[in-house]
């Protein structure tokens, strides 16, 4: 269980992030067309998992914009932006912002992704939503980098994440 903060107030998560060197467990999430997407759909590509509470907050929106910008320059890499937002909200946000280089996926049905990967916030006003996490996977789904952002209102370390690719 990680101990993070929201506005300086302690918040705990549901467990530990997947370990560097471990194979990421396959998952099923919903894309903006309401289709089921799994990690195995991205086999053979490097994957950036940009995980956050809600695209309707300034910091989360900034991370989607930044990774969209970064993704346009990365070879054989897909950026997955994952939250518990409804797919309609994710689609609306990216359309309004003109973002086309990221794949938005929703864990709205049951939150299993957040629970299984130890990143669901278990207390505070955002309990049940995902904490801010970056996970980088190689072409075989092996975790090569993780970052649990310590203060939920802060942006992740983009440079470190991209360097891990």
């Amino acid at each position: 269980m990680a101990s993070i903060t929201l506005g300086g107030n302690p918040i705990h998560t549901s467990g530990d992030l997947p370990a560097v060197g471990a194979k990421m467990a396959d998952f099923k999430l919903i894309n903006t067309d309401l289709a089921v997407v799994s990690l195995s759909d991205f086999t053979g590509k490097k994957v950036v998992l940009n995980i956050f509470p809600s695209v309707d907050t300034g910091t989360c929106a900034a991370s989607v914009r930044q990774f969209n910008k970064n993704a346009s320059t990365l070879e054989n890499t897909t950026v997955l932006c994952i939250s518990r937002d409804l797919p309609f909200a994710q689609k609306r946000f990216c359309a309004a912002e003109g973002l086309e280089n990221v794949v938005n996926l929703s864990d709205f049905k049951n939150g299993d992704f957040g629970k299984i990967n130890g990143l669901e916030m278990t207390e505070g006003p955002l309990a049940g939503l995902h904490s801010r996490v970056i996970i980088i996977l190689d072409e075989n789904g092996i975790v090569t980098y993780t970052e649990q952002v310590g203060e939920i209102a802060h942006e992740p370390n983009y440079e470190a994440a991209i360097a891990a690719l």
Side-chain angles (χ1 to χ4, degrees), residues 19-99:
V20 171
K23 181 143 179 85
M24 182 79 177
D26 201 12
F27 54 76
K28 290 184 178 5
L29 298 169
I30 308 300
N31 72 11
T32 57
D33 294 326
L34 302 179
V36 175
V37 175
S38 68
L39 178 59
S40 60
D41 294 333
F42 302 97
T43 300
K45 293 187 172 216
K46 295 177 186 176
V47 178
V48 176
L49 302 177
N50 175 31
I51 306 159
F52 50 85
S54 175
V55 74
D56 285 324
T57 67
T59 305
C60 300
S63 74
V64 175
R65 286 184 201 106
Q66 184 61 47
F67 277 115
N68 180 75
K69 179 180 173 185
N70 292 345
S72 67
T73 65
L74 302 173
E75 275 190 48
N76 196 38
T77 303
T78 300
V79 177
L80 306 180
C81 294
I82 302 170
S83 68
R84 295 213 54 202
D85 289 303
L86 291 175
F88 314 111
Q90 294 172 332
K91 188 173 191 173
R92 171 194 43 79
F93 173 78
C94 284
E97 296 280 332
L99 307 179

Side-chain angles (χ1 to χ4, degrees), residues 106-120:
S106 177
D107 188 21
F108 81 97
K109 289 204 174 202
N110 56 26
D112 281 351
F113 175 82
K115 292 173 189 162
I116 290 168
N117 292 297
L119 52 90
E120 179 181 287

Side-chain angles (χ1 to χ4, degrees), residues 22-25 39 43-45 47 136-143:
K23 181 143 179 85
M24 182 79 177
L39 178 59
T43 300
K45 293 187 172 216
V47 178
I136 306 290
L137 309 175
D138 71 10
E139 297 89 341
N140 300 307
I142 304 299
V143 177

